[in-house]
Amino acid sequence: MKTATFQNNRLEAILFNTLNGFFMLFLVIVTLYPFLHTLTVSFNEGNDTLRGGLYLWPRIWSLQNYRSIFISGTIYHAAWISVARTVTLTVLGVFLTSMLAYTLAQPHYLFRKIIGLLFVLTMYFNAGLIPNYFLIKQLGLLNSFWVYILPGMVSAFNLIVIRTYIKSLPGSLIESAKIDGAGDFTIFLRIIFPLCTPVLATIALFIAVGSWNSWFDTFLYASSDIKLSTLQYEMMKLLGSTMSSNSDPALLNGVNTGQSKGMVTPASVRAAITIVTAVPILLVYPFLQRFFVVGLNLGSVKE
């Protein structure tokens, strides 16, 4: 009887693992194929792409799609602005949000509930686009690099996640440190901050991806200053010009640079733009991935 039960359990386990493996393989294919197809189109000659039937390998290799993007000298400076805003906002956002979360996680802090409630309300109520624009204008942030940093340094969602994680830490750590004479700032920097590495890496990834992909704030607050243009904004303008050229599948205006006519098409340039904007974040993600699942699960435990 026990042998039969053992064999049945073993067959069920084998069947489950097999079906689960096929299901996960299907998810991987569905997830990766659009990106790989876009990568293929970006390296394929534009006119040849119009023929269709292109899947995971270019038929005619060409770098003209990428040359058409980087032909403008403003792209390089815009890329530098995007990197600078992403790094600055990520560092300041993680540090300031975690410091505020530590303060609100202390049970002896008198105004923790009121301040926490105010932050939560900002997640449900927004003044709107026009009031926000006038606020930025009155603060003197229009056409300023800090318009990319100051409005988004502290996020209510990130604050709640980090605060919940800090509350899950043993309170005896803080008590023992205070007995030894450590102040709150010392406790935060030398005890709490290192212990919050998983959730902070998760929040850093959230902030970095959001900042890197953002272009609408450039359009609203800094579009009149070319020196503050970001890579995503420049790509958006180029993408808009390619979309307006969809009715004519010939070469895009101003990007031929002497090559044979028809090598660059709207579809091929859009694929190249997608790859250029996605690759930097894809290169950063592996360094934070090992913290991502742990930080997200532990930081989202209900209070």
Side-chain angles (χ1 to χ4, degrees), residues 104 110-121:
L104 298 181
L110 183 62
F111 302 105
R112 69 184 188 281
K113 292 185 178 180
I114 297 177
I115 296 178
L117 178 62
L118 292 177
F119 272 99
V120 170
L121 289 177

Side-chain angles (χ1 to χ4, degrees), residues 123-135:
M123 299 175 63
Y124 299 98
F125 301 98
N126 192 301
L129 184 62
I130 296 178
N132 282 334
Y133 177 84
F134 283 111
L135 175 62

Side-chain angles (χ1 to χ4, degrees), residues 43-260:
F43 281 106
N44 196 72
E45 188 184 64
N47 270 354
D48 182 72
T49 302
L50 296 177
R51 293 167 48 198
L54 197 65
Y55 300 105
L56 295 177
W57 195 258
R59 279 193 299 259
I60 303 178
W61 287 85
S62 174
L63 294 177
Q64 188 61 26
N65 299 320
Y66 291 95
R67 292 194 188 102
S68 67
I69 295 175
F70 293 104
I71 189 174
S72 173
T74 59
I75 291 293
Y76 300 98
H77 182 74
W80 162 248
I81 294 296
S82 289
V83 171
R85 71 169 284 182
T86 300
V87 172
T88 305
L89 181 60
T90 302
V91 172
L92 291 178
V94 168
F95 182 76
L96 295 179
T97 304
S98 59
M99 188 161 56
L100 179 59
Y102 168 72
T103 302
L104 298 181
Q106 303 309 304
H108 60 271
Y109 182 57
L110 183 62
F111 302 105
R112 69 184 188 281
K113 292 185 178 180
I114 297 177
I115 296 178
L117 178 62
L118 292 177
F119 272 99
V120 170
L121 289 177
T122 62
M123 299 175 63
Y124 299 98
F125 301 98
N126 192 301
L129 184 62
I130 296 178
N132 282 334
Y133 177 84
F134 283 111
L135 175 62
I136 295 297
K137 183 178 181 180
Q138 291 178 358
L139 292 175
L141 295 177
L142 289 181
N143 297 318
S144 169
F145 177 78
W146 291 104
V147 76
Y148 299 138
I149 310 299
L150 296 180
M153 278 199 305
V154 178
S155 165
F157 174 79
N158 296 340
L159 174 66
I160 293 173
V161 171
I162 299 176
R163 184 185 64 176
T164 306
Y165 185 91
I166 293 176
K167 285 187 174 182
S168 68
L169 299 176
S172 57
L173 293 174
I174 299 177
E175 294 177 1
S176 60
K178 288 184 176 180
I179 292 175
D180 292 336
D184 285 326
F185 200 71
T186 302
I187 294 173
F188 170 73
L189 286 180
R190 304 188 64 176
I191 299 177
I192 301 300
F193 197 81
L195 290 176
C196 290
T197 300
V199 72
L200 294 182
T202 304
I203 297 303
L205 185 62
F206 288 163
I207 297 175
V209 171
S211 178
W212 178 262
N213 291 331
S214 178
W215 64 268
F216 194 58
D217 51 356
T218 305
F219 173 73
L220 288 177
Y221 308 127
S223 58
S224 60
D225 190 348
I226 190 63
K227 294 182 179 179
L228 293 176
S229 182
T230 59
L231 177 63
Q232 288 66 31
Y233 183 61
E234 292 297 320
M235 294 299 178
M236 185 276 301
K237 291 192 295 184
L238 183 57
L239 185 61
S241 66
T242 63
M243 292 180 67
S244 64
S245 305
N246 274 335
S247 59
D248 181 9
L251 183 67
L252 296 178
N253 294 329
V255 297
N256 193 5
T257 66
Q259 299 294 329
S260 61

Side-chain angles (χ1 to χ4, degrees), residues 269-287:
V269 173
R270 286 198 299 269
I273 290 173
T274 302
I275 297 301
V276 168
T277 54
V279 164
I281 288 297
L282 292 178
L283 295 178
V284 172
Y285 181 77
F287 297 98

